[in-house]
Amino acid sequence: CLPIEGKLTLNDGKLIVDLGRRHGIQQKQIGLVKGINIKNSMLNNSTVIVHINNIYENYSTLLPLNDNVKLATMNNLIVKFVE
């Protein structure tokens, strides 16, 4: 079984993935976003853990577990959801 993947976009200050209920996304589902470059950090290409905040039919909004991560750093990256 392959993980569910989607592209992240930042819209009106919200992090959105183009996957929703009809794609099998569930409330509070966890995803991994790789390739984050955190300013003033020695850790380039970091991985951030995100979770589903709101689910709609064809898209969902996400939030990082770490509140210090800027949403803009995840714009246009890929999220992989874990089961």
Side-chain angles (χ1 to χ4, degrees), residues 1-81:
C1 220
L2 294 174
I4 300 172
E5 293 185 7
K7 186 174 182 179
L8 297 171
T9 55
L10 192 62
N11 190 351
D12 286 336
K14 294 183 180 180
L15 194 62
I16 296 174
V17 64
D18 56 353
L19 300 168
R21 271 191 206 95
R22 71 183 199 103
H23 303 100
I25 298 297
Q26 300 172 10
Q27 189 68 31
K28 297 291 183 189
Q29 191 163 356
I30 298 292
L32 301 174
V33 182
K34 295 182 179 180
I36 308 277
N37 291 319
I38 300 172
K39 191 175 182 180
N40 298 327
S41 172
M42 294 172 52
L43 301 173
N44 284 334
N45 291 326
S46 296
T47 299
V48 171
I49 300 171
V50 295
H51 67 90
I52 297 293
N53 187 38
N54 289 304
I55 306 173
Y56 302 93
E57 195 61 28
N58 294 309
Y59 73 96
S60 302
T61 60
L62 298 99
L63 290 173
L65 289 183
N66 181 346
D67 292 336
N68 295 323
V69 175
K70 302 271 187 271
L71 298 181
T73 62
M74 293 182 272
N75 194 30
N76 293 317
L77 294 181
I78 301 295
V79 58
K80 289 185 183 181
F81 289 99

